């Protein structure tokens, strides 16, 4: 049994840490590195953070496959490759103050906590925020703060930020997020319709903003003052 730690869920054997670590290493090699993720710090963070702790117990064996998974409340933990692209686009070096909109499971926040000095993460669904906060604490992170609220307005009390990442789809880049960026700060955000978005990186240069488009993506909606007004697909499409 050396090196093999079985853990149980409701008395049922659901996995072994050793096998899961091997699956995580495969994910990093085949789904991230070989598909173009180059930043070694980002790859190292993905190798370290146990994604299986952030998914529902019935999904543990799918945690290292390259697709989003349900986390309840109609929300998802994003596909690892998308989390990696978005993280790489933030160009974190280790000294940054980062804001994440859409804590969800807390997985992206854990990756950010590995790569930046301070992480603030906002989630509108209190149950998800509390659960994510608990997992992050259990994993030993101390450089993060999870806040319940409408992140479409940003988090002015801790602004400005070196980097802001929005992990839900916005109809347009929220003005408050642009204003809360530091000079040369980066905002990474999916922008478009409810059915399809473009992944944008917007970099601030004084009062100018440079926009780069990294192609199509699909996220759950950003619901709030500067996002979509409703969870309802039909209603939201009319906005
Ligand atoms: N980053 C997450 C992770 O690592 O699991 C995945 C996020 S999930 C794709 C999008 C999240 O954004 C959902 O949990 C949703 O509740 C949240 N959300 C949507 N609108 C929001 C808003 N205005 N403020 C904060 N969170 C919001």
């Amino acid at each position: 049994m050396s090196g093999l730690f079985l853990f149980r869920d409701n008395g049922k054997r659901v996995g072994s840490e050793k096998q899961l670590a091997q699956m995580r290493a495969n994910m990093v090699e085949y789904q991230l590195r070989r598909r173009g993720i180059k930043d070694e710090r980002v790859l190292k963070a993905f190798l370290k953070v146990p994604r299986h702790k952030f998914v529902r117990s019935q999904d543990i064996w799918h945690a290292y496959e390259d697709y989003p998974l349900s986390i309840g409340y109609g929300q998802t933990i994003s596909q690892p490759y998308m989390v990696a692209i978005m993280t790489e686009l933030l160009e974190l070096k280790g000294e940054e103050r980062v804001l994440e909109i859409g804590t969800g499971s807390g997985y992206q926040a854990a990756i950010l906590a590995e790569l930046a000095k301070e992480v603030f993460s906002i989630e509108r669904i209190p149950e998800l925020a509390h659960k994510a906060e608990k997992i992050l604490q259990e994993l030993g992170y101390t450089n993060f703060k999870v806040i319940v609220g409408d992140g479409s307005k940003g988090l002015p009390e801790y602004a400005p930020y070196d980097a802001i990442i929005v992990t839900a789809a916005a109809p347009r880049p929220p003005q408050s997020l642009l204003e809360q960026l530091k000079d040369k700060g980066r905002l990474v955000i999916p922008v478009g319709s409810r059915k399809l978005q473009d992944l944008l990186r917007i970099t601030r240069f004084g009062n100018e903003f440079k926009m780069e488009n990294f192609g199509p993506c699909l996220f759950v909606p950003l619901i709030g003052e500067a996002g979509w007004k409703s969870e309802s697909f039909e209603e939201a499409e009319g906005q």
Side-chain angles (χ1 to χ4, degrees):
M1 284 285 285
S2 67
L4 185 69
F5 301 101
L6 297 180
F7 55 91
R8 291 169 185 276
D9 180 54
N10 295 332
K12 224 171 60 189
R13 186 183 123 170
V14 288
S16 92
E17 289 292 344
K18 195 178 172 188
Q19 284 169 291
L20 289 161
Q22 185 56 54
M23 291 168 90
R24 186 157 65 249
N26 289 344
M27 173 191 82
V28 171
E29 184 58 30
Y30 296 105
Q31 296 166 33
L32 306 186
R33 190 189 292 280
R34 295 197 189 187
R35 285 175 72 192
I37 303 299
K38 290 188 177 63
D39 187 329
E40 288 299 331
R41 292 184 73 243
V42 171
L43 292 164
K44 205 170 153 201
F46 276 81
L47 202 53
K48 182 167 173 200
V49 177
R51 190 172 191 262
H52 63 274
K53 302 271 188 201
F54 296 88
V55 303
R56 298 183 303 178
S57 58
Q58 65 265 41
D59 290 325
I60 281 174
W61 287 109
H62 300 291
Y64 297 104
E65 291 166 14
D66 199 31
Y67 45 75
L69 291 166
S70 170
I71 52 172
Y73 306 92
Q75 307 303 325
T76 53
I77 174 172
S78 305
Q79 169 199 16
Y81 180 61
M82 184 53 69
V83 179
I85 292 180
M86 292 177 82
T87 306
E88 192 168 59
L89 289 175
L90 296 174
E91 295 183 348
L92 301 173
K93 305 285 181 251
E95 285 307 309
E96 298 84 357
R97 173 174 283 203
V98 181
L99 174 65
E100 178 192 22
I101 317 298
T103 315
S105 68
Y107 178 65
Q108 172 79 75
I111 295 284
L112 296 171
E114 290 286 339
L115 295 168
K117 189 171 175 194
E118 300 175 284
V119 179
F120 297 88
S121 184
I122 315 182
E123 171 55 55
R124 63 182 278 271
I125 300 174
E127 291 85 350
L128 288 177
H130 299 320
K131 192 171 172 198
E133 185 178 38
K134 190 165 172 275
I135 299 169
L136 289 161
Q137 278 167 353
E138 282 169 5
L139 288 174
Y141 293 104
T142 53
N143 60 338
F144 77 94
K145 192 172 171 67
V146 175
I147 296 111
V148 176
D150 176 7
S152 74
K153 297 183 285 188
L155 190 61
E157 47 273 52
Y158 298 102
Y161 303 96
D162 299 281
I164 302 178
I165 178 169
V166 183
T167 64
R172 62 197 72 81
Q175 185 59 31
S176 48
L177 297 187
L178 297 172
E179 284 166 8
Q180 289 170 34
L181 279 178
K182 276 188 193 168
D183 192 32
K184 300 199 177 60
R186 287 83 57 202
L187 166 65
V188 172
I189 180 170
V191 174
S193 72
R194 286 287 300 266
K195 291 184 185 137
L196 190 66
Q197 303 91 38
D198 283 311
L199 182 61
L200 303 182
R201 175 169 64 185
I202 301 170
T203 308
R204 180 173 196 167
F205 296 97
N207 288 328
E208 306 280 311
F209 294 88
K210 176 183 144 198
M211 191 185 290
E212 298 163 277
N213 189 332
F214 292 88
C217 58
L218 182 59
F219 278 80
V220 296
L222 179 76
I223 308 287
E225 201 173 292
W228 301 98
K229 298 291 171 271
S230 160
E231 295 261 17
S232 153
F233 209 83
E234 292 73 25
E235 215 180 305
E237 279 301 297
Q239 288 180 48

